[in-house]
Amino acid sequence: MSTPEPTETTPAAPVSHAHPRFAEALAELGLQVEVRRFPDATRTAVEAAAAVGCELSEIVKSLVFTADGVPVLVLMDGSSRVDVELVRRELGAQKVKRADADLVRETTGYAIGGVPPFGHATKTRVLADRRLLDHAVVWAAAGTPHTVFPLDPKTLIAHAGATVADVREPAK
């Protein structure tokens, strides 16, 4: 009896802390990002910035609104608020309002507090506030309320298929 030739083994893929749908989206895009998982929730921008140790404005909030009943995703820095009137004008809509939790999950496939900027269940129009481009790196949810990932904002906006616009409320 002959002994089989030794075979090369492939190392196991690193464990991703991202939501499976988002991990799949990253793989399809060929993006390799470090997804960080935290024991405490990073559901809000304040919680995420504290966990990561970055400025609040470096957090990307992925917020779902409806424009004349059609879902739209707005990417906003963590220290700012969306001005729905500016969104309405940008989209040429009659009425813009924040989506409820059920519509957020139905549209994106994720729960509020874990919505990533791309990798959604449905194709949705996306607006990205111009201020995101003020940073070298921004942090966004990776599909769960406990995970975030860093990316340069131009790449993030491109993969989200977003239109850059000025949609934040003026500073008070």
Side-chain angles (χ1 to χ4, degrees), residues 9 13-14 24 53 55 61-62 68 70 80 101 111 128 131 138 147 152 159:
T9 59
E24 188 177 303
E55 294 296 319
K61 297 187 288 190
S62 297
D68 296 338
V70 177
S80 300
R131 294 288 300 271
V138 291
T147 56
D152 74 274
H159 287 305

Short mmCIF file of all heavy atoms in Angstrom, two decimals, residues 9 13-14 24 53 55 61-62 68 70 80 101 111 128 131 138 147 152 159:
data_model
loop_
_atom_site.label_atom_id
_atom_site.label_comp_id
_atom_site.label_asym_id
_atom_site.label_seq_id
_atom_site.Cartn_x
_atom_site.Cartn_y
_atom_site.Cartn_z
N THR A 9 -3.04 22.40 2.55
CA THR A 9 -4.33 22.80 3.12
C THR A 9 -4.47 24.31 3.01
O THR A 9 -3.48 25.03 3.10
CB THR A 9 -4.46 22.39 4.60
OG1 THR A 9 -3.41 23.00 5.32
CG2 THR A 9 -4.42 20.89 4.75
N ALA A 13 -10.94 30.71 6.35
CA ALA A 13 -11.22 32.14 6.19
C ALA A 13 -11.39 32.76 7.57
O ALA A 13 -11.91 32.11 8.48
CB ALA A 13 -12.48 32.33 5.36
N PRO A 14 -10.94 34.00 7.74
CA PRO A 14 -11.11 34.62 9.04
C PRO A 14 -12.60 34.77 9.38
O PRO A 14 -13.42 34.96 8.51
CB PRO A 14 -10.46 36.00 8.88
CG PRO A 14 -10.34 36.22 7.41
CD PRO A 14 -10.35 34.88 6.76
N GLU A 24 -21.39 38.94 2.98
CA GLU A 24 -21.52 38.52 1.59
C GLU A 24 -21.36 39.71 0.63
O GLU A 24 -20.70 39.61 -0.40
CB GLU A 24 -22.90 37.87 1.40
CG GLU A 24 -23.10 37.22 0.06
CD GLU A 24 -24.46 36.54 -0.02
OE1 GLU A 24 -24.74 35.68 0.85
OE2 GLU A 24 -25.23 36.89 -0.93
N GLY A 53 -13.48 55.00 19.61
CA GLY A 53 -12.50 55.98 20.05
C GLY A 53 -12.24 57.03 18.97
O GLY A 53 -11.12 57.48 18.77
N GLU A 55 -13.99 60.58 16.61
CA GLU A 55 -14.88 61.72 16.71
C GLU A 55 -16.30 61.29 16.29
O GLU A 55 -16.45 60.45 15.40
CB GLU A 55 -14.41 62.84 15.78
CG GLU A 55 -13.08 63.45 16.18
CD GLU A 55 -13.15 64.16 17.52
OE1 GLU A 55 -14.17 64.85 17.79
OE2 GLU A 55 -12.19 64.02 18.30
N LYS A 61 -24.14 57.46 9.95
CA LYS A 61 -25.48 56.98 10.26
C LYS A 61 -26.15 56.64 8.93
O LYS A 61 -26.12 57.42 8.00
CB LYS A 61 -26.30 58.06 10.98
CG LYS A 61 -25.71 58.47 12.32
CD LYS A 61 -26.61 59.41 13.09
CE LYS A 61 -26.65 60.81 12.50
NZ LYS A 61 -27.32 61.80 13.37
N SER A 62 -26.75 55.45 8.86
CA SER A 62 -27.51 55.01 7.68
C SER A 62 -28.98 55.09 8.05
O SER A 62 -29.49 54.24 8.77
CB SER A 62 -27.14 53.57 7.30
OG SER A 62 -25.78 53.50 6.95
N ASP A 68 -42.23 60.58 -0.83
CA ASP A 68 -43.48 60.26 -1.53
C ASP A 68 -43.78 58.76 -1.45
O ASP A 68 -44.20 58.14 -2.42
CB ASP A 68 -43.45 60.75 -2.99
CG ASP A 68 -43.34 62.26 -3.08
OD1 ASP A 68 -43.72 62.95 -2.11
OD2 ASP A 68 -42.89 62.75 -4.13
N VAL A 70 -41.66 56.27 -1.14
CA VAL A 70 -40.60 55.40 -1.64
C VAL A 70 -39.39 55.49 -0.70
O VAL A 70 -38.91 56.60 -0.41
CB VAL A 70 -40.18 55.79 -3.07
CG1 VAL A 70 -39.04 54.93 -3.56
CG2 VAL A 70 -41.38 55.71 -4.01
N SER A 80 -24.39 65.14 13.09
CA SER A 80 -25.36 65.99 12.40
C SER A 80 -26.72 65.32 12.30
O SER A 80 -26.85 64.12 12.46
CB SER A 80 -24.85 66.33 11.00
OG SER A 80 -23.62 67.01 11.07
N ALA A 101 -39.56 51.34 11.95
CA ALA A 101 -38.65 50.21 12.11
C ALA A 101 -38.97 49.06 11.14
O ALA A 101 -38.06 48.42 10.61
CB ALA A 101 -38.67 49.71 13.54
N ALA A 111 -31.91 45.69 11.21
CA ALA A 111 -32.64 46.45 12.23
C ALA A 111 -31.99 47.82 12.42
O ALA A 111 -30.78 47.98 12.21
CB ALA A 111 -32.61 45.69 13.56
N ALA A 128 -25.74 60.81 0.20
CA ALA A 128 -24.68 60.90 1.21
C ALA A 128 -24.39 62.37 1.45
O ALA A 128 -24.14 63.12 0.49
CB ALA A 128 -23.43 60.18 0.74
N ARG A 131 -20.54 66.32 4.00
CA ARG A 131 -19.61 66.44 5.14
C ARG A 131 -18.88 65.13 5.45
O ARG A 131 -17.84 65.15 6.11
CB ARG A 131 -20.35 66.91 6.39
CG ARG A 131 -20.92 68.32 6.30
CD ARG A 131 -19.84 69.41 6.35
NE ARG A 131 -19.05 69.38 7.55
CZ ARG A 131 -19.33 70.01 8.67
NH1 ARG A 131 -20.42 70.73 8.78
NH2 ARG A 131 -18.52 69.92 9.71
N VAL A 138 -14.11 56.90 7.85
CA VAL A 138 -15.37 56.94 8.60
C VAL A 138 -15.71 55.52 9.04
O VAL A 138 -15.19 54.55 8.48
CB VAL A 138 -16.52 57.55 7.75
CG1 VAL A 138 -16.29 59.04 7.51
CG2 VAL A 138 -16.71 56.81 6.44
N THR A 147 -21.52 45.87 15.69
CA THR A 147 -20.39 45.81 14.78
C THR A 147 -20.26 47.08 13.93
O THR A 147 -21.26 47.67 13.52
CB THR A 147 -20.52 44.60 13.82
OG1 THR A 147 -21.77 44.68 13.13
CG2 THR A 147 -20.43 43.29 14.57
N ASP A 152 -12.62 54.52 3.82
CA ASP A 152 -12.52 55.91 3.40
C ASP A 152 -13.87 56.31 2.81
O ASP A 152 -14.55 55.50 2.18
CB ASP A 152 -11.37 56.11 2.41
CG ASP A 152 -11.67 55.57 1.05
OD1 ASP A 152 -11.44 54.37 0.83
OD2 ASP A 152 -12.17 56.34 0.21
N HIS A 159 -19.55 52.56 -3.14
CA HIS A 159 -20.17 51.24 -2.99
C HIS A 159 -21.64 51.34 -2.59
O HIS A 159 -22.42 50.43 -2.88
CB HIS A 159 -19.39 50.38 -2.02
CG HIS A 159 -18.10 49.89 -2.60
ND1 HIS A 159 -18.02 49.18 -3.78
CD2 HIS A 159 -16.82 50.02 -2.17
CE1 HIS A 159 -16.76 48.91 -4.05
NE2 HIS A 159 -16.02 49.40 -3.09
#
